């Protein structure tokens, strides 16, 4: 399955309001629980320390169903995704005049070209970083560091943990798998140390975060918080 099929065509098979299925926020094909969604939202909100006068940039926002839980915590929201279909769903179901702004674009390209980087206070990147190449991740963090001078915190969530990959695939009876391919079903599997290195390289303090044990992806995923000193 090509990257376009995986991320652009796949969501189109579902109803317009089947939000979690569109973005594969599922377990065995069923939408994750409200409790799991709440845990994700709480992790993002507390880590970013979102405030009502701030502007939040969401890179890889999908249909914005998850982001919609954050709208009440910020003044303005900027969502970016390269899927026309998902941005269309976001505009249809999760638009708030004067608050939400949606862009159909590649996340890395958008971050480099956005006209008003100084307006952004916080950034969230949830569930998509593994689909960028390692070089693109470094470029993205470098750009956020250099252009987004007002941005104090960047939350990168739901990252596949490289040391857990063997167990993950063994339990699914998968013998051959790729850990460094951003176009594979799960994308690149990372170590926390790699994000610490990249964050430190561009001037950030780095916190490695985990989710509660009851979270559906807790065993195989981790989160990263980049903070300007």
């Amino acid at each position: 399955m090509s990257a376009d099929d995986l991320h652009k065509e796949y969501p189109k098979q579902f109803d317009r309001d089947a939000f979690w299925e569109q973005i594969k926020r599922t377990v065995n094909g069923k939408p994750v629980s409200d409790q799991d969604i709440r845990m994700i939202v709480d992790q993002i909100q507390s880590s970013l320390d979102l405030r009502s006068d701030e502007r939040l940039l969401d890179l890889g926002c999908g249909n914005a169903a998850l982001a919609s839980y954050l709208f009440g915590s910020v003044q303005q929201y900027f969502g970016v995704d390269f899927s026309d279909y998902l941005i269309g769903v976001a505009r249809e179901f999760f638009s708030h005049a004067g608050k939400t702004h949606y862009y159909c674009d590649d996340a890395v390209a958008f971050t480099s070209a956005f006209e008003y980087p100084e307006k952004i206070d916080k950034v969230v990147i949830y569930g998509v970083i593994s689909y960028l190449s390692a070089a693109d991740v470094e470029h993205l963090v470098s750009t956020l560091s250099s252009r987004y001078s007002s941005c104090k915190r960047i939350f990168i969530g739901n990252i596949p943990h490289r040391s857990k990959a063997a167990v993950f695939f063994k339990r699914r009876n998968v013998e051959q798998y790729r850990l460094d391919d951003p176009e594979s079903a799960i994308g690149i599997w990372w170590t926390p140390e790699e994000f610490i290195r990249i964050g430190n390289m561009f001037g950030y303090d780095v916190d490695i975060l985990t989710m509660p044990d009851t979270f559906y992806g807790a065993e195989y995923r981790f989160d990263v918080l980049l903070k300007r000193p």
Side-chain angles (χ1 to χ4, degrees), residues 15-224:
D15 291 341
R16 296 281 288 181
D17 60 354
F19 305 126
W20 304 127
E21 290 93 335
Q22 291 168 8
I23 60 173
K24 294 184 287 185
R25 192 75 65 234
T26 57
V27 177
N28 297 322
K30 302 295 183 182
V32 300
S33 68
D34 291 342
Q35 180 183 5
D36 284 321
I37 296 299
R38 189 70 253 173
M39 282 191 278
I40 296 171
V41 173
D42 288 346
Q43 179 90 313
I44 295 172
Q45 285 181 321
S46 62
S47 298
L48 288 180
D49 189 24
L50 295 177
R51 303 183 183 186
S52 60
D53 62 344
E54 291 182 329
R55 298 174 179 90
L56 175 66
L57 173 61
D58 184 357
L59 298 174
C61 68
N63 56 27
L66 181 62
S68 68
Y69 289 81
L70 305 171
F71 292 167
S73 300
V74 296
Q75 183 182 88
Q76 288 189 303
Y77 168 85
F78 299 81
V80 183
D81 201 273
F82 76 164
S83 167
D84 281 316
Y85 181 79
L86 291 178
I87 286 295
V89 172
R91 287 173 175 154
E92 179 179 352
F93 291 95
F94 301 109
S95 284
H96 297 268
K99 178 182 283 282
T100 58
H101 313 271
Y102 293 108
Y103 306 85
C104 185
D105 202 352
D106 171 83
V108 178
F110 176 90
T111 307
S112 296
F114 185 46
E115 290 184 279
Y116 310 108
E118 70 282 353
K119 289 186 175 183
I120 301 302
D121 300 292
K122 306 284 173 63
V123 172
V124 60
I125 309 168
Y126 196 87
V128 298
I129 203 73
S130 63
Y131 301 112
L132 301 181
S133 70
D136 277 345
V137 171
E138 285 200 16
H139 180 68
L140 179 62
V141 175
S142 173
T143 301
L144 290 170
S145 175
S146 61
R147 293 195 75 227
Y148 292 71
S149 56
S150 298
C151 178
K152 303 303 181 186
R153 295 190 176 205
I154 302 165
F155 180 87
I156 307 173
N158 213 36
I159 307 166
H161 199 309
R162 196 177 188 94
S163 70
K164 310 297 179 62
V167 173
F168 175 88
F169 288 110
K170 183 177 181 180
R171 289 181 178 176
R172 289 156 178 81
N173 296 315
V174 176
E175 296 182 356
Q176 296 187 1
Y177 47 85
R178 306 188 302 276
L179 300 185
D180 298 300
D181 184 358
E183 295 193 4
S184 64
I186 297 178
I188 295 178
W189 293 68
W190 290 82
T191 68
E193 291 75 18
E194 288 173 308
F195 275 98
I196 293 172
R197 177 189 64 80
I198 292 171
N200 291 166
M201 183 189 310
F202 298 109
Y204 293 102
D205 292 333
V206 183
D207 292 342
I208 303 300
L209 310 172
T210 56
M211 293 290 277
D213 290 342
T214 54
F215 180 66
Y216 76 100
E219 188 173 0
Y220 306 108
R221 306 263 181 172
F222 66 98
D223 302 328
V224 168

